[in-house]
Amino acid sequence: MPDGSNIYLNGDSKIRYALNFNTSSKRIVYLDGEAFFDVQHRTKQPFIVHTGKVSATVLGTSFNINAYPSLKDITITVQTGKVGVLFKNKATTAPVYFLLPNEQLTINKNNGQTTKKQVNAIDFDSWREYKIFFYDKSLSEIAEVIAREYDLDIEIKTEALKGVKLTAKFDKCSVKQIMDVIAKLSDSKYTIYENKVIIY
């Protein structure tokens, strides 16, 4: 970025920022998808990330935001520094949530419900090293990530399977290796045909 900050974009993600980004009173970025931000500290020029109804404000820190449009939640995970998070819903503005290192805030995009918890923040930007990490995620959410990362079409045959929650970590695996683990953890089976995976 013009201010020396680094932004790492995950697959199918994009950012926008103004031409005067580096000289205006606020450094404003608009995110669609998922990104890891390593922000240069500037006391008098806050760095603000907007994604839908949620905005995150920092002075200098590193954090991950997962805000893919297809997901019902926006997740912000802080690695270093402090992040202020705001959810705007119509005319009302919810209180600001402050996150410190290894804290994660999950916000429901529809109703603004929040969940804050302690995590190992490094796990949540493991995608930058071509690793995939899931923590207590439903199989339908996991399938979406795998489909995006491996350019696949994944179909889950039953509603019950879609809701099964899993925690797993993969390091540069093939699709078959990932699906073998998921099938074992979720007590399911799968077939792969060309670029389509069916879980049943």
Side-chain angles (χ1 to χ4, degrees):
M1 296 293 287
D3 67 337
S5 297
N6 291 315
I7 300 177
Y8 304 84
L9 292 175
N10 203 346
D12 199 23
S13 302
K14 58 188 177 183
I15 60 164
R16 293 180 291 117
Y17 59 93
L19 289 173
N20 68 342
F21 168 86
N22 203 24
T23 56
S24 64
S25 61
K26 297 175 182 176
R27 295 171 288 169
I28 297 175
V29 171
Y30 296 88
L31 168 68
D32 291 312
E34 182 171 19
F36 179 83
F37 297 85
D38 191 357
V39 177
Q40 285 288 322
H41 185 88
R42 290 191 180 177
T43 306
K44 295 182 180 178
Q45 195 183 22
F47 190 106
I48 302 171
V49 182
H50 289 288
T51 179
K53 298 175 183 175
V54 174
S55 63
T57 303
V58 303
L59 297 176
T61 181
S62 59
F63 61 104
N64 193 81
I65 297 183
N66 187 346
Y68 282 105
S70 56
L71 298 177
K72 71 179 192 321
D73 296 327
I74 292 173
T75 306
I76 299 158
T77 311
V78 178
Q79 213 171 89
T80 63
K82 185 179 182 180
V83 177
V85 182
L86 193 66
F87 177 82
K88 289 187 178 180
N89 193 8
K90 297 177 182 173
T92 60
T93 299
V96 177
Y97 297 90
F98 290 103
L99 302 179
L100 296 172
N102 292 317
E103 289 186 340
Q104 182 182 80
L105 187 70
T106 301
I107 305 169
N108 183 299
K109 288 190 277 195
N110 298 320
N111 58 25
Q113 265 193 327
T114 60
T115 306
K116 186 177 176 182
K117 60 187 174 186
Q118 291 286 132
V119 296
N120 182 9
I122 292 173
D123 286 336
F124 290 86
D125 73 309
S126 56
W127 55 265
R128 291 196 295 149
E129 298 171 357
Y130 304 101
K131 297 176 182 177
I132 301 177
F133 173 73
F134 306 110
Y135 179 77
D136 197 31
K137 291 292 182 187
S138 69
L139 190 52
S140 59
E141 291 175 292
I142 290 170
E144 184 177 312
V145 172
I146 294 168
R148 184 171 59 243
E149 293 294 323
Y150 288 87
D151 195 22
L152 296 169
D153 178 19
I154 300 181
E155 181 184 351
I156 303 172
K157 282 295 188 182
T158 68
E159 289 300 316
L161 266 179
K162 288 179 184 178
V164 172
K165 296 208 167 180
L166 306 175
T167 296
K169 191 172 186 176
F170 303 99
D171 186 359
K172 300 178 184 176
C173 296
S174 68
V175 173
K176 186 180 183 313
Q177 287 172 310
I178 290 176
M179 291 310 306
D180 283 346
V181 173
I182 286 174
K184 190 172 182 180
L185 291 175
S186 62
D187 196 24
S188 64
K189 296 179 181 178
Y190 72 93
T191 56
I192 300 177
Y193 178 73
E194 293 181 348
N195 70 332
K196 185 174 178 75
V197 178
I198 298 173
I199 304 171
Y200 56 94

